[in-house]
């Protein structure tokens, strides 16, 4: 039994209520698994993310670097407040801090009950290896790189041409999903909108966790459609790569999470486009890279995508469970505790992140951002997104396809310029652009 004197600090009941009201509830209400547009619009208007960051920074100055334990009946839970602890919790062995957190398992079982993220033991090891092999976690450019460039060039051109002079979120998302379905499942899945509708319905259920019953009929229909696409194993698609895998892992159990990740990537790419249109010097540098590119590698544009994730994390809540007792600076949390990492706190930490509230993609180019333990746009350690490089490749090449042939101007009032601090919330659902063809001298 832990010595009470050695336990990590415990928040008061009033402070716990403040954390619940200003951090936990807004995060849950916005949708942890799939975003809720109305709540996102409200969060942007009321600047809820900024309020949450300020509260946690205040509590850190009062209670210390934590973790800060919360007096929640029936569940040991602690909020991580120090960047070094983020590094320890995320990068340590899954046998010490498991990504298969209780609350996460409850939510994700609605649409991916056998995903690696909620697996443990031998099953997790096999599934993780499968994901890393198929998605080629350590290769900046996947073996499908040339095919991805071809697909995104085609779909990006169609998207811009069909926009009719205006591009909103719905049109962008539709074009994005056409490209993603071709990349993941092959050309035969390009127009299968029903597949994503089913997935999004299941993800909406997952937002409610154990409060929503599982829709087995919807899950079965989704699984049938997905397996039909995978069974074709089209060359030039991830389905084709899966077909070559010799392990006993069922690929259909892992692909739903890949589609989940690509949904978040669409938001990231769309926000990056918005910032670039508001910062002409940045846009000019990106265009020079795109116009002169002779390979899929677009370092500056990839860095812009990474910076978009840093500024507006698509996964604001990272959850882990402590498998064993854990200590920092002599302060201990008991085995079985849930750990909550609110990524905006660390991504916008003015104490430790230079240009915390500005668009600074060069920090990813020179390696400075990678050295910061609290900057985890794709998580880290055993829970790192195995498709990170694939997502960055897809997002950067689709943006390149759009920028190569068209000009974009952001409508409305948005504080995205280079001079002032950027907003803590950027509602992608409300962004809309005017679109025009680029002059012939600017194309290649």
């Amino acid at each position: 039994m832990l010595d009470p004197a050695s336990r990590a600090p415990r928040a008061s009941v009033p402070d716990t209520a403040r954390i619940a009201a200003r951090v936990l509830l807004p995060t849950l209400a916005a949708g942890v698994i799939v975003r809720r547009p109305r709540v996102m619009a409200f969060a942007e208007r009321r600047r809820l993310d900024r309020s949450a960051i300020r509260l946690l920074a205040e509590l850190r100055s009062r209670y210390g670097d934590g973790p800060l334990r919360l007096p929640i009946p029936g569940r040991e839970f602690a909020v991580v407040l120090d960047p070094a602890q983020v590094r320890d919790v995320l990068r340590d062995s899954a046998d010490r801090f498991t990504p298969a957190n209780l609350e996460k398992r409850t939510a994700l079982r609605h649409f991916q009950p056998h995903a690696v993220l909620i697996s443990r033991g031998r099953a997790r090891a096999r599934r993780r290896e499968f994901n890393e092999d198929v998605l080629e976690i350590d290769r900046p450019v996947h073996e499908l790189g040339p095919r991805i460039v071809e697909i995104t060039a085609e779909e990006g051109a169609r998207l811009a041409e069909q926009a009719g002079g205006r591009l909103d979120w719905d049109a962008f998302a539709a074009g994005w999903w056409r490209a993603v379905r071709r990349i993941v499942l092959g050309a035969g899945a390009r127009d299968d909108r029903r597949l994503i509708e089913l997935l999004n319905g299941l993800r909406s259920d997952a937002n409610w966790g154990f409060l929503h019953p599982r829709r087995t009929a919807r899950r079965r229909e989704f699984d049938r459609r997905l397996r039909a696409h995978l069974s074709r194993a089209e060359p030039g698609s991830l389905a084709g790569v899966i077909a070559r895998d010799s392990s006993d892992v069922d690929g259909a159990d892992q692909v739903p999470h890949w589609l989940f990740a690509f949904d978040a990537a669409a938001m990231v790419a769309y926000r990056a486009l918005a910032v670039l249109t508001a910062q002409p010097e940045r846009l000019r540098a990106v265009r020079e890279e795109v116009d002169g590119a002779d390979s899929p590698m677009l370092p500056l544009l990839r860095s812009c995508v990474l910076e978009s994730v840093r500024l507006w994390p698509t996964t604001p809540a990272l959850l882990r469970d402590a498998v064993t007792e854990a200590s920092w600076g002599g302060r201990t949390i008991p085995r079985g505790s849930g750990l909550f990492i609110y990524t905006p706190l660390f991504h916008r930490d003015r104490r430790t992140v230079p240009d915390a509230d500005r668009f600074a993609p060069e920090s990813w180019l020179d390696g400075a951002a990678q050295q910061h333990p609290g900057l985890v746009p794709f998580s880290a350690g055993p829970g790192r997104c195995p498709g990170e490089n694939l997502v960055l490749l897809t997002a950067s090449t689709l943006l390149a396809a759009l920028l190569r042939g068209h000009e974009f101007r952001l409508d409305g009032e948005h504080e995205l310029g280079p001079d002032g601090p950027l907003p803590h919330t950027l509602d992608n659902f409300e962004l809309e652009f005017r679109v025009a063809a680029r002059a012939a001298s600017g194309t290649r």
Side-chain angles (χ1 to χ4, degrees), residues 10-346:
R10 185 181 178 95
S12 68
V13 172
D15 283 338
T16 300
R18 293 169 70 202
I19 292 172
R22 290 170 58 181
V23 183
L24 301 178
L25 289 179
T27 301
L28 292 172
V32 175
I33 308 300
V34 64
R35 289 290 186 269
R36 297 182 173 108
R38 291 182 181 178
V39 181
M40 286 289 293
F42 178 79
E44 184 175 55
R45 289 196 305 271
R46 300 300 298 269
R47 302 183 178 183
L48 297 185
D49 289 326
R50 185 177 71 172
S51 174
I53 292 169
R54 287 182 173 178
L55 172 62
L56 292 179
E58 172 204 326
L59 296 177
R60 180 170 58 191
S61 66
R62 197 143 49 82
Y63 286 96
D65 288 338
L68 182 61
R69 295 164 54 233
L70 305 180
I72 299 175
R75 174 75 160 131
E76 282 281 352
F77 223 90
V79 179
V80 176
L81 297 174
D82 181 70
Q85 293 167 11
V86 173
R87 176 194 58 213
D88 293 344
V89 170
L90 295 183
R91 296 182 183 175
D92 210 327
S93 165
D95 294 331
R96 187 167 178 234
F97 296 107
T98 176
N101 158 271
L102 174 62
E103 289 77 15
K104 193 187 300 180
R105 295 198 309 270
T106 301
L108 296 186
R109 280 174 177 164
H110 282 275
F111 68 98
Q112 48 178 37
H114 306 295
V116 63
L117 205 58
I118 55 174
S119 303
R120 299 186 67 174
R122 183 172 177 273
R124 184 189 189 282
R126 290 188 297 106
R127 290 165 180 167
R128 180 70 189 186
E129 183 178 10
F130 170 88
N131 278 266
E132 292 186 357
D133 287 347
V134 174
L135 300 178
E136 299 181 4
I137 186 172
D138 291 322
R139 287 186 61 177
V141 178
H142 195 277
E143 67 173 272
L144 299 179
R147 180 60 179 153
I148 290 172
V149 172
E150 181 183 356
I151 290 171
T152 56
E154 292 174 3
E155 297 298 345
R158 288 174 185 160
L159 174 59
E161 289 164 3
Q162 294 171 1
R166 304 196 72 82
L167 179 66
D168 62 12
W169 167 254
D170 288 340
F172 178 84
W176 171 267
W177 278 117
R178 286 191 291 270
V180 167
R181 287 192 294 266
R182 291 175 65 185
I183 292 167
V184 178
L185 302 171
R190 178 186 185 271
D191 297 317
D192 189 357
R193 292 179 296 177
R194 176 63 177 166
L195 180 76
I196 304 305
E197 290 172 0
L198 289 166
L199 177 61
N200 287 342
L202 293 167
R203 290 173 58 208
S204 294
D205 297 343
N207 272 342
W208 296 95
F210 66 86
L211 296 176
H212 199 291
R214 296 186 195 177
R215 302 195 197 191
T216 55
R218 176 175 288 184
R219 167 69 186 161
R220 282 197 299 268
E221 183 185 353
F222 170 74
D223 190 63
R224 283 196 304 270
R225 297 183 83 95
L226 178 62
R227 289 181 184 277
H229 291 307
L230 289 172
S231 68
R232 292 194 310 273
E234 288 190 30
S237 72
L238 288 175
V241 179
I242 290 172
R244 303 198 313 256
D245 184 78
S246 60
S247 73
D248 61 352
V249 173
D250 186 348
D253 288 338
Q254 307 308 309
V255 171
H257 195 77
W258 305 354
L259 297 174
F260 176 18
F262 271 116
D263 182 41
M267 299 179 191
V268 169
Y270 199 58
R271 288 168 179 155
L273 180 62
V275 178
L276 287 171
T277 61
Q279 301 196 9
E281 291 301 317
R282 299 278 188 199
L283 180 59
R284 186 176 298 110
V286 165
R287 285 198 189 280
E288 289 177 359
E289 177 181 73
V290 169
D291 291 340
D294 56 5
S295 80
M297 283 299 293
L298 299 165
L300 178 57
L301 194 46
R302 287 169 73 105
S303 296
C304 290
V305 174
L306 276 166
E307 187 68 348
S308 175
V309 191
R310 179 189 72 82
L311 288 162
W312 301 288
T314 53
T315 307
L318 295 178
L319 303 175
R320 296 291 186 270
D321 278 352
V323 180
T324 63
E325 179 183 300
S327 298
W328 291 273
R331 295 299 186 181
T332 304
I333 60 170
R335 171 186 177 185
S337 297
L339 288 158
F340 173 77
I341 298 171
Y342 186 65
T343 52
L345 171 67
F346 305 102

